[in-house]
Amino acid sequence: MNILDKIIAHKRTEVEAAKAKVSLEQLEQAPLFTRQTISLKNALKAEGASGIISEFKRKSPSKGIINDRLLPEIVTKGYVEAGANGLSVLTDTAFFGGTFDDFAKARAANPYTPMLRKDFMIDEYQLWEAKAIGADVILLIAANLTPAEVRHLGQKAQSLGLEVLLEVHNQEELEQSICEFVDMVGVNNRNLKTFVTSIETSLELAQLIPNDFVKISESGLKNAETIQKLRAAGYQGFLIGESFMTTDDPGLALKNLIDEFQMSIN
C-alpha cells in the first residue's frame, strides 16, 4: 500500500466518523455557510496578478515536520500582504497536521482572499464541510477518484458555489477526468505515490490542458526562473508552500520571490 492509499483509507474512516458527529443540516447552520464565495479563477486571471497561491502546511508524509511553530493567521496574512492571489490551507490532520481551526484562523485574517481547502475529497459530505468553514475552492485529486466521482463531486461543489481545482499527475488522469464541472486544472509535479518531484510534468502537460481552464502548477516551485518558464508555457497559477514554510518568515520569502520574478521580466 503506497502513501496515497494509506491516506485515502484513513480518510474514509475519518469522514464516516465526522458524519456521525455533525449532520449536513448542522453544517448548513454554520455562520460562513451562506457567505458569498470569492473566485480564485478570476483572481489568477486579473491583470498584473502574481499568480501565487501560497500554502500553509505544517508537515507532510515525505518531509515530516516542515514548520510547526508558525501561526496560520500570521503566515497567511503575510502571504496576502506580500502579493499572494490565493491561499491554500491544509485541513488533513493525520498526515499533514492541518485542522479546521487553522483554516478558520486564516479565513478570519483574510476575509477578501480566495481560499482553497486542501484535503483529500472523497465524499459529498466534505463539500458541506468546506462551505461551513468558509472555503472558496475545493481540490479533487484524479489519482484517488474515478472520472465519474470527479464529475459528481465537481457538479455538487459548483452547485454549492464552490470552485473546483482538478489535480492531475499525468496525461491519462487529465484526459479521463477533465470535464465541465472543473474550473481550474492543477498539475502536481510531485507524484503522490512516490513523492518524486519534477517540473517537467507541468511542462509536458501544459499544451494538453484546454485553454478554457486556468492552468496551475503545483509543487517544487522554488525560484523566479521556474515560474517564468511555466508562465511562458501557459500557466497562470503557481501553488507554493513548502519552500516558504521552511523559513522563519514565509510572507517575506514570498515577497522576495515576487520581487525576483518582477526583476527578471523587466
Side-chain angles (χ1 to χ4, degrees), residues 1-12:
M1 184 181 281
N2 60 45
I3 295 172
L4 182 58
D5 291 336
K6 290 178 182 177
I7 291 173
I8 298 305
H10 187 277
K11 188 62 61 178
R12 295 193 190 286

Side-chain angles (χ1 to χ4, degrees), residues 12-55:
R12 295 193 190 286
T13 303
E14 186 181 296
V15 171
E16 290 308 310
K19 287 179 179 179
K21 288 182 181 178
V22 183
S23 68
L24 291 182
E25 290 73 22
Q26 287 173 298
L27 291 173
E28 289 173 353
Q29 296 306 309
L32 294 180
F33 194 89
T34 56
R35 66 177 278 278
Q36 181 66 44
T37 52
I38 307 165
S39 174
L40 175 60
K41 180 172 64 174
N42 289 345
L44 296 175
K45 291 168 67 176
E47 187 174 352
S50 69
I52 305 293
I53 306 162
S54 298
E55 189 161 271

